[in-house]
Each structure stands twice: as structure tokens, then as C-alpha cells.
Amino acid sequence: MCAAPLRHPSTKASFAERANDASHPLTSYLLRLMTIKRSNLCLSADVPNARELLTLADKIGPSIVVLKTHYDLITGWDYHPQTGTGARLAAIARKHGFLIFEDRKFGDIGNTVQLQYTSGTAQIINWAHITNVNMVPGKAAVQALAEAAAKWKSRLNYEVRTSVTVGTPVADYFDCDNSSEEREREDRSLSPRQPQQDPNTSFQTHMDQNGRKSSIVSVNLTQSYEPIDSPRFANGIPEGDELLFPGIEEPPYERGLLILAQMSSAGNFMDARYTRACVEAAREHPNFVMGFIAQETLNSEASDNFVTMTPGCQLPPAGEDESAAIAGDGKGQQYNTPAKLVGLAGCDIIIVGRGILQADDAKTEAERYRKRAWQAYMERTGQA
């Protein structure tokens, strides 16, 4: 937790002001969305099955700006790219105005993380606006994910078109009733180019053992990428202004990355040297890295405008003193209140899971967290 007074300009500027200066289009979008919804809350949707995930997203969606998922712990996940769980989540996100963050924590060599991000059963890049990386393997993992996202975006404006070409012979080649003299004349006229290949088709003629002409027709398939107008919602997701959260446009095509720079669990090994390397990698990829998963703002240079998202946030039961210390979960997780994380440590978005999921009324509790986190932000920036 940051004990020094917050001095970096990003901790005093409003989200709207920071949106204007953001180098990453998705960062700018998220900051504007936070301003419109008056929310800096992310729900960690660690639920056991896909039906519960979709129901929860629809119920809590109005209170949040980010939904964090772990697709690999959810049973019943439908991997169909057009109509599956990811596509249905994307439709709910569009309706309620939030981004999807798949908490994948990529942590392997570059080639492997690229494949994990873009391929396999889940195809994370197609439905998650944001993902994250554990930088233990080094900066190469960040570079590899950035390359994968750039390649994905470059192909989004295109779709595969397949053309089928079938050779079609001229009609008299099928005339099997010709006299032998006529066939001989035809054969002499074709000589010495038998079998015949029409350069414009894939049709060939030759003589069978009875002296009759037979044909060979081959099918040629040609694939090409051609422009399409709106690829984002052309894959089974309903369109229409009534399904788009009012006040803001659709999210940009870009994908974003968060770097896991600090953790809220006790005894973790992410020391200061590791965290500095995370910040360096972020500065090297400002058009892909949106910010960090961290316990305090890591913006230090004047040009830094990274978003800090912070887990380990907990409120005491309603009516109790919110300044009191909160016990951990007995499994290594340490908790802090929104006032401490946003107001004192300069974090931007709080990540809350069990505090909302285990409440008697999850929707009401999500609103309580949203209001407390927003109040801490308003007080930090001098707007309250």
C-alpha cells in the first residue's frame, strides 16, 4: 500500500480529463464509460457454471464497468464463436455498458501465449476486451501478445469469401450419338492435343475404351479476404440501438492488456524489481498495455496515464465502521476498503468478488461498493 502522498497528476485528474490524454483507444473508452456510469467497479464473476455467469452479468451489469472472468473454471462454457458463452457475454456487455476482462494471467514463452490468446477452444481474443499477463517469463510475452492483437485487428475488417469454379464442357462434347465418321473428324481436329484442356476451365475430354468421349470435371476452390462493414456484431449478436448502452458508442476494435505487477495475497514474490520491469514493459507498448493489476498507482513519469485495477477490496457489513481493519480470508488474501485503495493508494478500479457474490442481495451490495468506490475517487480528485 502506498503510504506517501499522491502527487502524480493522474491521481488528481478526473477520469474524463484522463480519457482525452489516453494513448490507448480502449483506455480512453473505459475512462469515458466510468464517467458516464459513475462507476469504477469491476465484478470478479467467479461462479461455477455458464448459466449463472450470464445471469449474474445481466443482473450486476448496470453497476459495473468491467466484468472479470475465469472461463476455465466455469462448467458448461459453450465455445461456439458465434452463439456461445463468449458471444452472449459480449451482447450483455454491450447492453449494460461494461468491458469483459478474462483474467488469464498468461505466463509462458511468446509463441505459446500467442496461441493461448488467439486459438484453442476459447479463442479469448474474440470475446474479451481485456486480458492480462504474468511477466515472470520476461518482456517477450508482452511483445508476443501485442503482435497477436495487432494481427487480429488487421483481419477484423475482412471475411473469407470462397469461390467455386467448375469446368463446363461445350455441348457437342456430350453428343454420344455422333456417327463414327463424325467422331473421327472430331478426333482428327483435336489431334495432337489430346486430352484437351480448355485454358479457361478445368474440364478435360478424352476417349474411353468404346471410342466415346467422357469428361473429367474438377472443382477449384479459391479463398480470399474481402472487406466487410461491421464485423463486431455480425456473428450472431443482435444489433440495434436499443441493445447499446445509452450515452456511449460501441467499444473500439482494439484489445487491451493489463500487466500483473503486484498481488494482494500474502507472501507473494512480486518484489520491487519485478514491478519496475512491468512498468518498463507497459511504457514500451502504450498502444496495447492499458495498465496494471496492482495495489497502488504505478504512474510515476509525467506522461504515464495507466489504469490501475486492484483486487482484495472488501467492505465491512453495512452499518459498521469502514475505517476498521478487515480480516483476510484465511487463504492468503488480504483486504482493503475502497477508501484506502482508491483514496490513499491512487487505484482507479476496485475488483470485488466474494464481497458481492456472497451477499444476500448481490445487486444491492454491488451498488454499495460502486457508491463507496466512486465517493473515494471524487474525494481524491477534489470533486466532492
Side-chain angles (χ1 to χ4, degrees), residues 24 26 66-71 77 81 85-91 93 98-104 106 116-118 122-132 149 152 156 235 237 251-257 288 290:
H24 194 310
L26 198 58
V66 178
L67 180 78
K68 185 172 79 70
T69 60
H70 285 288
Y71 85 89
W77 185 281
T85 305
R88 294 176 68 185
L89 267 182
F98 62 81
L99 299 181
I100 302 170
F101 164 30
E102 168 54 29
D103 190 6
R104 182 60 177 79
F106 294 108
Q116 290 172 327
Y117 190 25
T118 62
Q123 298 181 15
I124 295 168
I125 197 170
N126 286 333
W127 52 269
H129 305 94
I130 306 168
T131 190
N132 61 347
W152 173 83
L156 258 188
N235 54 353
I237 300 174
Y253 289 117
E254 282 80 4
R255 292 310 192 218
L257 184 73
F288 181 52
M290 299 175 64

Side-chain angles (χ1 to χ4, degrees), residues 187-198:
D187 294 342
R188 284 195 299 271
S189 69
L190 291 173
S191 180
R193 297 187 299 110
Q194 291 195 26
Q196 182 191 32
Q197 174 69 56
D198 186 332

Side-chain angles (χ1 to χ4, degrees), residues 143-182:
Q143 174 66 31
L145 290 169
E147 291 173 356
K151 184 177 181 180
W152 173 83
K153 181 177 181 292
S154 71
R155 295 182 63 175
L156 258 188
N157 291 324
Y158 297 86
E159 67 180 2
V160 177
R161 293 292 177 88
T162 302
S163 61
V164 180
T165 304
V166 180
T168 304
V170 294
D172 59 358
Y173 287 161
F174 288 112
D175 186 1
C176 297
D177 295 327
N178 285 354
S179 67
S180 58
E181 291 183 2
E182 289 174 333

Side-chain angles (χ1 to χ4, degrees), residues 37 43 51-64 67 92 95-96 98 356-357 359-367:
K37 295 189 73 174
L43 174 66
R51 179 179 295 180
E52 189 172 345
L53 172 65
L54 295 171
T55 301
L56 182 69
D58 198 30
K59 179 189 293 186
I60 309 299
S63 297
I64 62 175
L67 180 78
I92 295 172
K95 170 185 173 183
H96 290 303
F98 62 81
I356 294 174
L357 299 179
D360 293 336
D361 185 340
K363 186 174 183 178
T364 299
E365 191 68 357
E367 269 297 288

